[in-house]
Amino acid sequence: MTIPHKYWSPRGRGIWRYASMLPLGSGISLGEGGTPLVESSLSSNLYIKFEGTNPTGSFKDRGMALGVTVARESRAEKVIVASTGNTAASAAAYAARAGLKCYVLLPRGNVARGKLIQAALHGAEIIMINGFFDTALRYVLEHGTKYAYPLNSFNPWRLEGQKTIAFEIYEELGCPDYVIVPVGNAGNISAIWKGFRELGELGLCRKLPRMVGVQAEGAAPLAVAWQRGLKSPLFVDKPKTIASAIRIGRPINWPKAMAAVEQSGGLFIAVSDSEIAEAQRLLASRDGIGAEPAGAASVAAALRLKVSGTVVAVVTGHALKDPDVIEISVREIKDSRELLLLLEGA
Ligand code: F0G
């Protein structure tokens, strides 16, 4: 496969709008990308890049479109992923579309219900392991790749698709001062940084954004290392956070993510579960944006950092992915008169 020369010529919709910047000119699509950039009321100059509107409800669809296209073109019959849930949901949907068999390895008890349901609905073979995501990924690397095409974020095609987040931000806003990204396996922050770097190389972005990687306090191998001035992560054996999507202790893409943060003059930061829950609540109740906890982590970081300049927080997944973390309060009424009293404020 020859990699064509890149040039900036956006045309059409979704990620394939940027075909001239991608190593593939076309491919499988479910309408991924083209997500909204919404001005937030939570802080001045804060914009939310809401990835929850992708076909399966997370940014993973951008990379899966390319990854599954390559799997099909290389005549693979099976694809495989380890996942905290969203990669599994996305791989299952795109593999279904391409007519490929999909195996997903999930850490038992560590996957949000909505994501599991998606993987099942799209017909993936669901395999549960005891342990965390990091063990599932190790299994894929040890044995999965011999028999199936792997679609985790060490797959470069995935990152090529995900870099289109940078292109969309650029088209709407130019180059912001900061881009804040929740970090789990550390692929997405690397992908978005690649997108901005390419815009810089083409002379489109004169000042590249500072990349901010956000982890949850109980799963912060990069953020803790960063705080201590270390250049490599302090791996976590038992990651713990409500944000199950980023409950990861050994991010495989850490060298790329560290480089993205260093080269851009950014930083890593850890936020607490209560900050994540509060950001999720504020996003939903003030901005009308339903984020899953990992997605809201970027907003929690924005609210903590209070930097000046234009800030884009990437909200990576939809609230419906993880319904069990939401507290629901309801009222019951017996007749319509009670409704009247309630509406009158009695
Ligand atoms: N936000 C959400 C909602 C995610 O699902 C993930 C990763 C991330 C952020 C972090 O992205 O791994 O590229 O640093 N989810 C993976 C999965 C691990 O299996 O769905 P990353």
Side-chain angles (χ1 to χ4, degrees), residues 59-60 83-87 182-188 245-246 248 292 294 316:
F59 69 94
K60 306 284 180 180
S83 181
T84 56
N86 281 325
T87 299
V183 169
N185 214 18
N188 205 28
I246 52 172
I248 292 176
E292 68 168 287
T316 42

Side-chain angles (χ1 to χ4, degrees), residues 42 180-184 213-220 240-248 269-285 289-304 314-317 319 322 325-326:
L42 302 178
I180 310 184
V181 190
V183 169
V214 187
Q215 297 193 298
E217 269 174 9
K240 193 170 174 298
T241 166
I242 55 162
S244 60
I246 52 172
R247 201 178 282 156
I248 292 176
I269 183 175
V271 291
S272 69
D273 277 2
S274 56
E275 285 175 289
I276 291 173
E278 179 64 0
Q280 183 189 36
R281 193 187 67 75
L282 288 171
L283 257 182
S285 60
I289 294 173
E292 68 168 287
S298 59
V299 175
L303 298 179
R304 163 104 73 86
V314 184
V315 168
T316 42
D322 197 353
V325 298
I326 313 289

